[in-house]
Amino acid sequence: MSATADPRLTITWSHIDIYRHSFPASVIAEATGLSVEELLAAPAMLFGAVNPATAQLLKAAQNDTVRQAPTEFEIISAQASDELTLTELFDLVRRLIREEMDSGSPADRSLAALIGGLRREGLIV
């Protein structure tokens, strides 16, 4: 991911018509209460009915000249501009699991079992 620019999320939503717009990830994070990292790792977390702050943000981005009061906004697609590849995601998870295991917490056996299972399935090396 680029550290110099704010990553962007392209969101498709419906409200009578269908709209699509690219937002800075930080703006979506603020409206949803999620972190930018969470959103970029799993944009699908946005799918479904949205909270009022997110609905307000989406409504402000609409280009309709006539707007009717909506009863519900629903995000139907989300895609990060700097989405991690599956390999990058596994590397990130592996690093976080390694850090957790090295901390000596009670979860280390479970995490070790998870890594073993992922290796057995050929999903990580």
Side-chain angles (χ1 to χ4, degrees):
M1 289 188 295
S2 172
T4 59
D6 190 7
R8 299 186 69 80
L9 288 171
T10 301
I11 296 178
T12 304
W13 73 94
S14 65
H15 168 232
I16 303 169
D17 291 316
I18 293 178
Y19 304 89
R20 185 178 181 96
H21 184 70
S22 182
F23 297 91
S26 59
V27 171
I28 300 300
E30 184 178 331
T32 61
L34 299 168
S35 72
V36 170
E37 293 77 17
E38 289 174 308
L39 291 172
L40 294 177
M45 290 174 26
L46 294 172
F47 292 6
V50 300
N51 65 22
T54 306
Q56 191 72 9
L57 176 70
L58 297 176
K59 185 174 183 177
Q62 291 177 187
N63 292 325
D64 270 348
T65 55
V66 179
R67 294 185 181 141
Q68 298 179 3
T71 56
E72 182 178 333
F73 282 82
E74 183 176 349
I75 294 174
I76 55 178
S77 174
Q79 185 176 7
S81 61
D82 290 341
E83 245 179 282
L84 297 174
T85 65
L86 189 55
T87 303
E88 291 170 329
L89 190 55
F90 275 128
D91 287 342
L92 174 64
V93 169
R94 185 180 352 185
R95 182 179 51 79
L96 294 173
I97 289 172
R98 227 5 114 208
E99 289 172 9
E100 182 69 23
M101 288 172 50
D102 292 344
S103 74
S105 74
D108 62 348
R109 288 185 190 155
S110 299
L111 295 172
L114 174 62
I115 289 175
L118 292 171
R119 282 189 180 133
R120 183 186 67 241
E121 297 298 321
L123 297 173
I124 62 171
V125 217

